[in-house]
Amino acid sequence: MRTYAQYCPIVRAVEVLGDRWTLLIVRDMLIGASRFNELSRGLPGLSRALLSRRLRQLANAGLVTRTGDGYTLTSAGQALRPLVFGLADWGARYAFGDPRADELDPEVLMWWMHGRIDTGTLSRRANIEIRVSDRRRVFWLVLEPGDASVCYTDPGLEVDAVLASDIATLYRMWEGEFELLDAVRAGTIELTGPRWVVRGLPEWLKLSPVAEYVRAARIEPAAAPAT
């Protein structure tokens, strides 16, 4: 591997973390992904061969270790949390504009959403049909006490509620640009169903792990450069 040939701790960090996809693998592991297929599903633009290579590199660098059924971050890997979420803070303030079309993958969004459901207060199953209007796609979030799954084909269960919007609006809500219920009141997202689901979904869905940084950036915009 070619090096930068500079004796500096920043350079050493870049040599470990600077390859394409590496920090996104660490991001997903920091928020709970541990199995190879979980990492692959959350990063569909990353080939499985390159994912294997990056995991080996992270293991060789002492950031990841192999477990019986997957991978886990070492203490050195966990120590990257402030760096990764510091990038989230900086990105939300200085680099996060309108979504580009190539960033709006509905299957990735559904995969992310199902992994951020708090089922602790659920007492019965809720099957929520999600309609992505401008992509003509339909998904189902099947929520049960202690478990949440996403279905890309009809699971054959009675639908308890329907959530519908265009893909950009769903992503903006997920990233924390506005609250789900605010979008429902404004008519940009439709949420229909019994009261227990309509009231419960905003509590069950915990949004993106970076939503707090996006919200903060909206409340406290980046200061203009000094003149």
Side-chain angles (χ1 to χ4, degrees), residues 6-54:
Q6 293 185 2
Y7 186 56
C8 169
I10 296 174
V11 170
R12 294 288 180 92
V14 170
E15 287 176 351
V16 173
L17 301 170
D19 285 329
R20 184 173 172 82
W21 296 106
T22 297
L23 277 176
L24 295 185
I25 295 169
V26 173
R27 175 202 67 181
D28 284 11
M29 295 187 72
L30 284 169
I31 60 178
S34 61
R35 293 181 174 85
F36 187 91
N37 285 340
E38 290 174 338
L39 291 164
S40 182
R41 290 289 293 275
L43 299 166
L46 172 61
S47 72
R48 294 174 71 86
L50 185 54
L51 174 57
S52 293
R53 191 180 315 146
R54 291 288 181 265

Side-chain angles (χ1 to χ4, degrees), residues 18-212:
D19 285 329
R20 184 173 172 82
W21 296 106
T22 297
L23 277 176
L24 295 185
I25 295 169
V26 173
R27 175 202 67 181
D28 284 11
M29 295 187 72
L30 284 169
I31 60 178
S34 61
R35 293 181 174 85
F36 187 91
N37 285 340
E38 290 174 338
L39 291 164
S40 182
R41 290 289 293 275
L43 299 166
L46 172 61
S47 72
R48 294 174 71 86
L50 185 54
L51 174 57
S52 293
R53 191 180 315 146
R54 291 288 181 265
L55 287 168
R56 285 197 301 271
Q57 290 170 339
L58 288 168
N60 290 338
L63 304 183
V64 167
T65 187
R66 188 72 186 265
T67 64
D69 59 353
Y71 300 85
T72 189
L73 291 169
T74 64
S75 58
Q78 289 288 347
L80 289 170
R81 185 177 297 274
L83 172 65
V84 171
F85 288 99
L87 285 173
D89 187 25
W90 183 91
R93 293 178 184 277
Y94 300 104
F96 197 53
D98 293 335
R100 300 190 300 262
D102 65 341
E103 296 174 322
L104 302 177
D105 185 327
E107 291 193 7
V108 170
L109 178 59
M110 294 303 115
W111 179 256
W112 285 348
M113 287 174 65
H114 104 277
R116 292 284 291 173
I117 299 289
D118 181 359
T119 60
T121 60
L122 275 167
S123 59
R124 51 178 162 159
R125 184 177 65 203
N127 179 27
I128 302 168
E129 185 175 282
I130 299 181
R131 300 174 183 171
V132 185
S133 56
D134 56 333
R135 298 295 180 90
R136 298 182 180 180
R137 296 291 305 276
V138 180
F139 304 88
W140 293 263
L141 281 178
V142 181
L143 315 181
E144 301 183 74
D147 185 54
S149 59
V150 59
C151 299
Y152 301 100
T153 59
D154 191 342
L157 303 171
E158 180 179 354
V159 172
D160 295 297
V162 175
L163 185 148
S165 189
D166 62 273
I167 187 61
T169 299
L170 290 173
Y171 260 98
R172 287 182 182 276
M173 178 273 294
W174 164 252
E175 295 289 352
E177 293 189 34
F178 46 78
E179 299 293 338
L180 172 57
L181 286 182
D182 289 343
V184 171
R185 295 186 190 102
T188 55
I189 293 178
E190 296 179 17
L191 178 58
T192 57
R195 189 180 184 88
W196 70 276
V197 179
V198 172
R199 284 198 162 190
L201 184 59
E203 297 297 323
W204 305 330
L205 180 60
K206 297 307 177 184
L207 300 187
S208 167
V210 303
E212 63 180 286

